[in-house]
Amino acid sequence: LQWLSVVTKSVENTMSLSKAMIILCLLPLLAVAVPVPTRLTSYGDFKYSEPVTVRHKQEARFTCSGTFSEDSRLRWYREKGDESGVLLEVTDRYWKTEFDAEYQISASHDSMTHYYMSQLTIRSAKQTYAGRYYCKAVNGSGDILVKSEPILLEVIGGKGNCQDPAVTGMSAQWDNSTKFTTVDWTIDPPLKSSWCRGNKLVWFFRSCSWDNVDQIPDNLTSVDPTWCEWISLNKRQTLINLANTSNEEYFMFEIGWRSKHKDVMDYTFTSKVFYFGEQVGARITKAEDVAVKSGDKATLSCAAVGLPQPKVIWTVALSGSNPSSGSRHYSGPTYNIKPTVSTAVIENANHSHSRRYTCLAKNTIIRNGVKTTVIDTATMTLTVD
């Protein structure tokens, strides 16, 4: 037994020596092969919440998740004027923040897959909590690995039976002495304190003008932005003066507002089209029958009045005196004259030109704020002997 014990110790010493020699040989390799944890090359599985809308005192939740390096962390920020914003520290209890919100952040981490998940919960949302929130993944050195797009929190309500403000009426008046156009409007509810979104609204006014009625689109919501200009308004403003305008211009106005942290309008009100100059629908004042001898020149005249200037079009019956059998257009000049006179001339008239000719005058005016086409026609007879 004593001999067996000596042999066993000798074997153990020999094995320990062998392990020590192996470790000594591998130490230089280990120093090179063990890297400092680095970010992953792909963050394709990084996910975060869509914009969140809740009512006053409801719970708001945001989530953020992804796979990152072993020493990573997910952190929540609230925008505060700069890019970094207010850091919301990780905690399993509800805490007050700089913006007076009670929030809770819960986080989990799978050490095998390095999958991280974090949830930000605001227990009782108020108007002051609305804004942009971010989720960022950072490594152990604090370097940002990836950052979410802004996650917008919108809080609706909070002041009894409040409602979002709406424009209920708009009027405009042109002043010949000052060359100013004054636009005023009414807002319901009128008091800022009764608006659901409180001070979180940014108001805008847009004016669009055209020199020619034909430039105005039939659908005012598709107005080319090059004809318009947005300006920022004071929240309580309900009147604006547009300088150096003309009563012969066509105007359309629009009032809109959006939440402070949005890039698109939440609400818009589009006015009718305003025109302060004189308007007269097209009307034919003179159209007479004509008789000529064969071989002579025949001149048919059509006089029309209207503002804007009427456009005159000629058509001719293709079969005798029956206009329903077909027609052909004759192009004729139009003039901005009162009355506007257009002529259709036939050189070397013969018996085949003995027909009924129709003169059509039309223009477009603004009637009750809407583009309206006015048409007047007159028929005359050409007789060739």
Side-chain angles (χ1 to χ4, degrees), residues 314-319 323 326-330 353 355-358:
W314 288 91
T315 61
V316 57
L318 297 181
S319 176
S327 63
R328 182 176 64 219
H329 286 283
Y330 278 86
H353 295 126
R355 300 177 186 275
R356 295 178 65 191
Y357 296 80
T358 298

Side-chain angles (χ1 to χ4, degrees), residues 173-278:
Q173 182 67 43
W174 185 76
D175 190 323
N176 183 49
S177 60
T178 62
K179 308 302 180 185
F180 271 62
T181 297
T182 301
V183 185
D184 60 271
W185 56 93
T186 54
I187 298 176
D188 183 44
L191 299 177
K192 184 176 66 175
S193 60
S194 62
W195 298 348
C196 288
R197 305 176 196 227
N199 294 322
K200 300 300 181 181
L201 299 186
V202 182
W203 286 81
F204 294 92
F205 173 86
R206 180 167 78 155
S207 64
C208 307
S209 62
W210 302 271
D211 297 325
N212 191 318
V213 67
D214 294 328
Q215 297 172 338
I216 305 173
D218 294 327
N219 182 5
L220 291 179
T221 59
S222 62
V223 170
D224 186 338
T226 58
W227 297 100
C228 310
E229 182 181 0
W230 282 106
I231 59 174
S232 181
L233 291 176
N234 180 288
K235 295 182 181 66
R236 296 180 179 272
Q237 189 173 353
T238 56
L239 183 145
I240 195 166
N241 289 317
L242 302 177
N244 301 319
T245 57
S246 168
N247 67 330
E248 295 182 352
E249 287 182 293
Y250 298 86
F251 295 95
M252 184 272 285
F253 309 112
E254 198 165 16
I255 302 290
W257 55 259
R258 61 173 172 80
S259 297
K260 187 173 292 185
H261 298 284
K262 283 189 175 180
D263 298 323
V264 296
M265 291 292 187
D266 289 308
Y267 169 87
T268 55
F269 173 88
T270 303
S271 75
K272 64 182 183 180
V273 176
F274 292 94
Y275 182 76
F276 307 107
E278 183 184 0

Side-chain angles (χ1 to χ4, degrees), residues 98-159:
E98 288 186 32
F99 58 98
D100 196 34
E102 292 189 3
Y103 75 93
Q104 181 186 47
I105 296 177
S106 57
S108 61
H109 167 222
D110 189 323
S111 59
M112 297 294 293
T113 62
H114 303 309
Y115 179 78
Y116 293 79
M117 192 280 291
S118 180
Q119 178 173 278
L120 168 64
T121 303
I122 297 178
R123 182 163 59 182
S124 180
K126 300 177 183 178
Q127 287 287 345
T128 53
Y129 306 168
R132 297 175 188 259
Y133 293 78
Y134 296 88
C135 177
K136 300 178 185 179
V138 299
N139 61 18
S141 302
D143 300 323
I144 298 176
L145 303 178
V146 67
K147 171 186 172 182
S148 72
E149 293 295 323
I151 306 172
L152 179 67
L153 171 62
E154 187 172 13
V155 181
I156 299 176
K159 300 199 177 187

